[in-house]
Amino acid sequence: MNSVDFLLTNKDITYEIRTEIKRLGRPIPDLIISKTDVGKSRNYSRNFNSSVYDRFKWLYGCPKRNKLFCFICLVMGGNQSAWTQEGCVGKGRHKATA
């Protein structure tokens, strides 16, 4: 019920279901996300670290899509952005962090 696919495909969720999803909490799976950035003198490799869930309580992982989403935005029907539609894998900024 609190999966990304469920929330994306069921837009007209009742208040009671939203409350239950919130009670269940956000999935925080260990995702396999890595990115290599090219620098002037060398390449930099970054890998997903699950400790990011502790820093950003709104962050929500989807193992099926291997991406990150905004849990609050998906449950409460937030704005249409990468955090609610496609998911993010890079250093994308979210309004909640700005």
Side-chain angles (χ1 to χ4, degrees):
M1 178 185 305
N2 61 347
S3 73
V4 169
D5 287 334
F6 177 83
L7 293 169
L8 287 176
T9 57
N10 295 286
K11 298 293 183 186
D12 298 324
I13 300 172
T14 65
Y15 175 79
E16 290 78 18
I17 293 175
R18 289 180 197 279
T19 303
E20 178 62 15
I21 292 169
K22 186 177 173 193
R23 187 193 65 73
L24 290 171
R26 63 194 170 113
I28 52 172
D30 195 18
L31 303 176
I32 301 172
I33 299 174
S34 63
K35 183 173 181 183
T36 302
D37 292 322
V38 179
K40 290 182 180 178
S41 60
R42 68 182 195 125
N43 293 343
Y44 298 90
S45 180
R46 294 182 294 146
N47 296 307
F48 176 76
N49 185 333
S50 60
S51 68
V52 74
Y53 292 127
D54 295 329
R55 288 185 22 222
F56 303 104
K57 300 297 184 189
W58 52 267
L59 205 56
Y60 175 34
C62 177
K64 181 178 178 182
R65 297 173 189 236
N66 203 40
K67 293 185 178 182
L68 298 166
F69 291 83
C70 174
F71 182 66
I72 298 163
C73 299
L74 279 173
V75 173
M76 298 304 179
N79 63 351
Q80 303 296 319
S81 71
W83 289 103
T84 59
Q85 298 301 302
E86 304 98 43
C88 291
V89 294
K91 294 191 298 187
R93 298 285 291 170
H94 187 284
K95 283 190 263 183
T97 65

